[in-house]
Amino acid sequence: MARTPIPLIDPYARLVKDLRISITDRCNFRCTYCMPEEGMKWIGREELLSFEELARIASVCVERYAFDAIRITGGEPLVRAHVVRLIEMLAVLGVDLAMTTNGVKLPEVAHDLARAGLSRVNISLDSLRRETFLALTRRDELDRVLAGIDAAIEAGLKPVKINAVVMRSINDDEIVDLARFARDKGVGMRFIEFMPLDADSMWSHDKVVPAREILDRINDVFPLKTVAIPGSGHTQPAERFEYADGNGDVGVIASVTEPFCDNCDRVRITAEGKFRTCLFALNEFDLRAELRTGAGLDAPDLDDRLATVIVSAVGTKWAGHRIGQVNFIRPDRSMSQIGG
Ligand code: SAM
Ligand code: SF4
């Protein structure tokens, strides 16, 4: 008999219902704010969770605890072989299924992803200038990412949103151009504050462009309504504002200057099966050990054991990260290793 899902509540009375799954730590880009050019230590093939293992964790979250959203990320999720198969396996869970990608492989796979059941996609694009794009990603692939955005639109993935990490003196002069680009394409635009999760430790406070400044710069050219769209910001990380001319909206993710931890509903699994309750968490819970002991996926008590680890991990979810405060401790993993 199917169980009735029960809500998973953390110690600060927040409902946990959004699962981020990293499916690889590898990437075909080397964004300066995320990975070093060389010298990354990759997770071994054997250590990576299989699609069956990932789907098993996802089904426990959805069927026992009523999670309603799953996002596939990485590393770059589209470099993992047969990713379309994983989307098919997760689509049967019937939740909002999204992906964050650098977009470079979308021209080849966007249609297959949509057919497999992916609902929507966020595509990272930090610059529209070839040289800046190359300097930031260390890859000369701007044209293919632009083609990837078009492919996602054509495939019917909805909504398509663009994510841009804003860094002072690097790409902050493109805020308005990126906003214009998204308005013209009819896609969403999200500006993300630069967070201290880069592998090269180049992060510093003075490189962060506060979300309020980003909005002010857009408002000077494309006036925004003064009040945020209800439900945004406090129930999701992006605080969204409509353009006064009715031509869409723009969002800002103020992880550093205005953290949204009070309403965080997320947990994460790394590509090797570590369960994390925050991007900045300092401890992890090993789901792979449960998946691979005894009879493995055939073990009759596997779901119960996974559920026990998940519940005890959620019991440690903290009130919030402390970026900018003296007691902030940087996690020893970068964004690509945790899964952004
Ligand atoms: N490779 C995919 C991509 O780039 O979209 C997915 C993984 S990436 C780690 C997920 C998101 O994290 C991207 O939008 C990326 O721009 C963002 N990101 C990476 N490092 C970041 C940092 N230090 N601060 C803020 N955002 C960051
Ligand atoms: Fe790769 Fe995404 Fe990190 Fe860039 S941000 S290096 S695309 S994982």
Side-chain angles (χ1 to χ4, degrees), residues 25-35 74-76 101-102 124 137 335-336:
D25 58 337
R26 297 183 191 230
C27 189
N28 41 11
F29 283 12
R30 290 288 181 279
C31 303
T32 53
Y33 53 73
C34 178
M35 279 199 196
E76 171 48 40
T101 169
N102 63 29
S124 300
T137 62
M335 193 75 149
S336 67

Side-chain angles (χ1 to χ4, degrees), residues 83-254:
V83 60
V84 172
R85 173 78 195 116
L86 176 66
I87 298 301
E88 283 168 355
M89 290 165 73
L90 295 175
V92 298
L93 294 171
V95 298
D96 174 32
L97 188 56
M99 179 181 282
T100 304
T101 169
N102 63 29
V104 79
K105 286 191 157 235
L106 280 175
E108 293 137 53
V109 293
H111 279 87
D112 291 342
L113 292 169
R115 255 196 305 272
L118 188 71
S119 329
R120 53 205 187 87
V121 71
N122 286 42
I123 303 169
S124 300
L125 174 70
D126 308 312
S127 174
L128 293 162
R129 285 196 303 250
R130 188 169 172 196
E131 308 73 49
T132 310
F133 185 96
L134 171 60
L136 270 173
T137 62
R138 302 187 179 108
R139 297 291 183 269
D140 192 7
E141 296 280 20
L142 174 60
D143 289 344
R144 277 178 56 83
V145 173
L146 296 177
I149 294 169
D150 289 337
I153 297 168
E154 277 161 29
L157 292 169
K158 224 175 171 152
V160 173
K161 290 184 197 161
I162 296 175
N163 287 353
V165 178
V166 183
M167 285 165 289
R168 186 154 327 266
S169 309
I170 297 179
N171 65 343
D172 61 325
D173 57 337
E174 288 195 67
I175 291 169
V176 169
D177 290 344
L178 284 163
R180 180 183 295 110
F181 172 83
R183 277 167 56 93
D184 291 349
K185 281 247 175 256
V187 299
M189 184 73 224
R190 303 286 175 264
F191 291 99
I192 307 173
E193 290 180 349
F194 181 28
M195 292 185 272
L197 282 171
D198 53 311
D200 285 339
S201 297
M202 60 179 261
W203 185 88
S204 61
H205 247 295
D206 57 2
K207 293 211 181 74
V208 178
V209 180
R212 294 297 130 192
E213 182 181 332
I214 294 171
L215 290 169
D216 286 346
R217 292 211 214 169
I218 296 169
N219 187 50
D220 285 345
V221 181
F222 301 117
L224 295 165
K225 293 193 178 165
T226 45
V227 181
I229 296 174
S232 75
H234 294 291
T235 52
Q236 50 184 332
E239 192 181 14
R240 294 186 295 132
F241 291 85
E242 278 174 331
Y243 290 110
D245 66 6
N247 193 0
D249 64 72
V250 63
V252 283
I253 302 184

